[in-house]
């Protein structure tokens, strides 16, 4: 479907001689991806722009970077929203083929570049979401202290059993 490719209107830039160019960079796909994995309010923000005052679904679920499975999931959601029932008779097969198109691409440089593009577009960083590391030994950080105390309580409870 044209919506998966870059261009305004979607698919305008599609090149049948170079189908990987612009693949999975369509704006409908980006909107739905952001809506699902960041937040509904972030769906229409410019590429790479982050809304710091809003929560991020990716962060809440430990998603540190965009993977082919995430893009494929958003793709299936767009297809369902646009009622591509004739095109998608088997969602599972399409989902799996989409992932393989990236994970098993003959040109892994292209695949890595695509995932970096997605990370830059969604999280503002080509390496993915910047997560706060709470493993440092920082006695001044209340959250680190609280996590350490929780781990000690859990360990003590397991020793009693």
């Amino acid at each position: 479907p044209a919506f998966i490719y870059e261009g305004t209107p979607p698919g305008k830039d599609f090149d049948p001689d170079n189908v990987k160019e612009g693949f999975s960079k369509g704006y409908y796909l980006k909107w739905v991806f952001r809506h699902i994995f960041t937040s509904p309010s972030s769906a229409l923000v410019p590429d790479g722009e982050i809304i710091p005052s809003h929560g991020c679904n990716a962060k809440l679920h430990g998603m540190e970077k965009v993977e082919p499975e995430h893009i494929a999931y958003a793709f299936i959601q767009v297809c369902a929203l646009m009622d591509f029932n004739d095109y998608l008779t088997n969602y599972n097969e399409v989902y799996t083929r989409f992932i393989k198109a990236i994970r098993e691409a003959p040109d892994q440089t292209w695949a890595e570049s695509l995932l970096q593009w997605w990370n830059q577009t969604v999280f503002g960083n080509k390496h993915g979401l910047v997560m706060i590391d709470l493993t440092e030994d920082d006695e001044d950080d209340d959250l680190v202290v609280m996590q350490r105390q929780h781990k000690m309580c859990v360990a003590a409870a397991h020793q009693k059993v």
Side-chain angles (χ1 to χ4, degrees), residues 3-100:
F3 75 82
I4 200 167
Y5 286 92
E6 283 183 301
T8 306
K12 178 181 177 235
D13 300 336
F14 176 72
D15 178 359
D17 295 324
N18 187 6
V19 294
K20 69 181 182 183
E21 184 64 35
F23 174 76
S24 83
K25 293 183 179 180
Y27 63 85
Y28 288 133
L29 187 58
K30 288 190 293 186
W31 289 352
V32 170
F33 187 99
R34 286 181 179 142
H35 184 92
I36 296 168
F37 292 107
T38 55
S39 69
S41 60
S42 72
L44 302 177
V45 300
D47 290 354
E49 186 175 313
I50 306 298
I51 303 175
S53 62
H54 291 66
C56 176
N57 293 331
K59 190 180 289 186
L60 292 173
H61 297 288
M63 177 181 159
E64 296 180 12
K65 62 184 179 175
V66 177
E67 297 286 353
E69 291 81 2
H70 302 126
I71 306 167
Y73 180 78
F75 173 72
I76 294 296
Q77 297 306 311
V78 174
C79 289
L81 289 169
M82 295 181 140
D83 200 20
F84 282 121
N85 293 332
D86 293 339
Y87 177 73
L88 293 176
T89 55
N90 185 338
Y91 285 97
N92 189 43
E93 179 184 342
V94 173
Y95 175 80
T96 302
R97 290 182 68 188
F98 191 103
I99 294 166
K100 284 183 175 184

